[in-house]
Amino acid sequence: MKFFTFNKESGKNISKFNSDFIMSRIVQTNSAASIGCMHLGKNGLIGFHQAVGPQLLLIVSGEGLVSIDQEEYYKVQPGDAVFWEKDEWHETKSDNGLTAIVIESEELNLADLMPSK
């Protein structure tokens, strides 16, 4: 399990085309990617399982806990990104709910784009 950040402070100001916003780059792939949004409610759980491929979890709202062994848990909050390698066991849970984007692809080039946390 590796932790990255995509919070506002890690982004860069974009001014091209008269724009004024901050872009926090996340991932770039040349192969197919599956992207979804997960909504965990109160006492929500993504049960302990193996990642079917490289997987990136982006916390966009709420807070929760992630683990790779169901013994030690790490707090995650908006702006945090958690990466699991293929076949790595993991679990995500939340007492009060969280929303996250999940990206799965055989080719996730993270270190070039997001800073480690």
Side-chain angles (χ1 to χ4, degrees), residues 75-99:
K75 182 179 177 181
V76 291
Q77 58 194 8
D80 287 344
V82 185
F83 177 73
W84 291 287
E85 297 284 353
K86 181 179 181 176
D87 297 325
E88 190 169 13
W89 286 90
H90 63 286
E91 176 178 80
T92 303
K93 62 184 182 178
S94 177
D95 290 339
N96 296 308
L98 70 78
T99 301

Side-chain angles (χ1 to χ4, degrees), residues 16-40:
K16 288 182 181 179
F17 312 114
N18 260 351
S19 298
D20 184 17
F21 68 96
I22 294 174
M23 169 68 83
S24 297
R25 297 187 68 197
I26 294 171
V27 68
Q28 180 176 339
T29 68
N30 292 316
S31 59
S34 173
I35 303 169
C37 185
M38 297 179 168
H39 304 273
L40 279 74

